[in-house]
Amino acid sequence: GYAPCPGKAMHSHKGGKRDFRVVLTGAPTGYCFHDSCAAALEDFNRVLRSRIGKAESGHGEKKPCMYGKTAPPPMEPRRVKRPPYQPEALERLAAKCPVEISPAWLRERSPVSFPEADGTQGTDTTLAFLGALYESGERVLIFTTQYSQGDFLFAPEAGSFRLAKKPGVQAVKSDLPTGAPEGVWYLVQPVEGVWKPNANNRGKDGKPRMGRRHGDCVSAWRYLVLESDDAPEALWLKALVQLPFPIVAIYTSGGRSVHALVRVDCKSKAAFDALRDDMVQVLAPLGADAAAMTAVRLSRLPGTLRHGKRDKEGHLQKYNPPRLQRLLWLNPGADAKPILQTVKL
């Protein structure tokens, strides 16, 4: 059934009455359409399952132990999944960087060059970015409306297409969008590009709704996104160039954050989640948004324009002029060496 989300106060976009639902098939679980409330959702699901478990086992009454009066097995201390941002930790790491890191510094040293005529970027940059990071036969969903099922599709061997909003309608050949009211996003994991039933999103009749952006549509668990709305840009860039992860791209959001795309190449979503949980312990204290490190994640598409943002009332506040989601760094062959160790200072 549907209910108000327990993390509604954390939502960064206007919500709807059907955003939050509780599913009792399998493990009792609450789901929310928004990503920003992930921490509250984890707490909700833990309490929900605990209370149901106690109720089903006799209201929490202890049963005699078959081993007699032996001590319970030792439990591993519960690890906090999302450590808080620690500005002093970021400052300590940034202080180890021997040079100032700016967007221009990154662009000048990018291992793979990309189109940027007269300091501007556009569709040529976008195509260079997508072509470098995705393989023939893969499909990339592109969004001009964040909560759609995908508005455009890019295929390295075939080009770009405009997508229909409903199943059964053939896509048409189209140029990629150059911008959108709130910017342009892409789903970082490649997908199959077809509609599939989503077991985690059911209608009133209980049947799964069709979608093309959920986990069952993903064809490879390849990338993880790092972004921060808390860390100052100058310190965040100094941290990124020192991280021992294969960072294949760095780009701006057209707002106040800089995104880094990390290649992880996991064999399954479960493997992705396990790796993410380990990385969160290191990255969240540095300012990385743990809620953004999800397996099925949208990120800003470089080379496109962001014309504004929504305020708390849902009204679009336009930028004058529009802001570019600028590509700063591209290295599809990145390894786990920090960027600082791979470039000339």
Side-chain angles (χ1 to χ4, degrees):
Y2 296 93
C5 176
K8 184 177 181 181
M10 301 177 185
H11 291 174
S12 55
H13 294 81
K14 187 176 181 180
K17 294 181 179 179
R18 298 168 68 87
D19 288 351
F20 177 76
R21 65 194 182 284
V22 177
V23 177
L24 298 180
T25 303
T29 305
Y31 298 93
C32 186
F33 189 74
H34 302 265
D35 291 324
S36 54
C37 58
L41 212 56
E42 283 187 2
D43 291 338
F44 172 85
N45 285 327
R46 185 172 61 254
V47 174
L48 174 69
R49 292 164 185 166
S50 173
R51 292 177 64 178
I52 289 177
K54 289 178 180 179
E56 291 181 342
S57 64
H59 304 284
E61 295 177 2
K62 294 183 178 180
K63 298 180 180 180
C65 176
M66 67 177 69
Y67 300 112
K69 296 182 178 181
T70 59
M75 300 293 290
E76 180 181 351
R78 184 176 177 271
R79 184 170 62 175
V80 178
K81 286 192 174 182
R82 287 179 166 85
Y85 170 43
Q86 300 172 21
E88 64 279 5
L90 176 62
E91 291 169 3
R92 285 196 301 269
L93 179 59
K96 297 179 181 180
C97 183
V99 294
E100 293 298 319
I101 308 298
S102 66
W105 188 96
L106 288 166
R107 290 199 303 274
E108 292 169 2
R109 291 164 176 80
S110 174
V112 176
S113 60
F114 42 85
E116 183 167 299
D118 300 324
T120 62
Q121 296 181 1
T123 303
D124 288 346
T125 307
T126 303
L127 291 172
F129 170 81
L130 294 172
L133 298 181
Y134 296 93
E135 303 170 1
S136 179
E138 294 183 332
R139 304 291 182 263
V140 184
L141 283 177
I142 295 167
F143 302 75
T144 51
T145 306
Q146 188 176 9
Y147 299 112
S148 72
Q149 290 298 318
D151 303 294
F152 294 81
L153 181 140
F154 172 79
E157 75 283 1
S160 53
F161 299 82
R162 186 71 185 262
L163 299 176
K165 296 181 179 180
K166 296 180 179 180
V169 182
Q170 188 172 357
V172 295
K173 192 75 175 176
S174 170
D175 292 336
L176 290 176
T178 58
E182 296 178 80
V184 183
W185 297 264
Y186 73 106
L187 182 60
V188 301
Q189 314 298 5
V191 297
E192 295 180 21
V194 297
W195 293 88
K196 288 189 171 184
N198 184 357
N200 292 325
N201 186 5
R202 298 175 181 270
K204 291 182 178 180
D205 57 1
K207 295 181 179 180
R209 290 193 173 95
M210 300 297 289
R212 55 188 170 205
R213 61 178 285 178
H214 55 88
D216 288 342
C217 301
V218 170
S219 60
W221 304 99
R222 183 175 302 150
Y223 296 120
L224 177 144
V225 178
L226 301 180
E227 62 176 271
S228 177
D229 288 333
D230 297 320
E233 180 181 300
L235 300 182
W236 179 241
L237 291 180
K238 284 187 173 184
L240 288 179
V241 298
Q242 296 182 80
L243 295 178
F245 302 126
I247 297 177
V248 298
I250 301 175
Y251 43 91
T252 68
S253 68
R256 61 181 181 176
S257 65
V258 175
H259 295 197
L261 192 64
V262 180
R263 187 164 189 139
V264 292
D265 283 330
C266 293
K267 295 186 179 299
S268 66
K269 183 179 181 298
F272 180 101
D273 290 343
L275 176 63
R276 181 270 320 277
D277 288 347
D278 288 337
M279 293 177 69
V280 162
Q281 306 303 310
V282 176
L283 297 169
L286 300 177
D289 183 358
M293 295 168 65
T294 52
V296 183
R297 188 70 189 175
L298 302 190
S299 185
R300 295 286 175 173
L301 183 64
T304 60
L305 293 173
R306 181 177 178 177
H307 290 267
K309 69 175 182 178
R310 300 280 176 184
D311 59 22
K312 293 182 179 180
E313 285 72 39
H315 302 126
L316 181 66
Q317 303 296 318
K318 290 187 176 181
Y319 298 143
N320 187 20
R323 299 179 183 178
L324 178 65
Q325 297 173 184
R326 184 182 295 276
L327 182 60
L328 306 178
W329 174 271
L330 183 61
N331 184 17
D335 57 24
K337 291 182 180 178
I339 289 174
L340 271 186
Q341 296 181 14
T342 65
V343 300
K344 292 183 179 180
L345 300 183

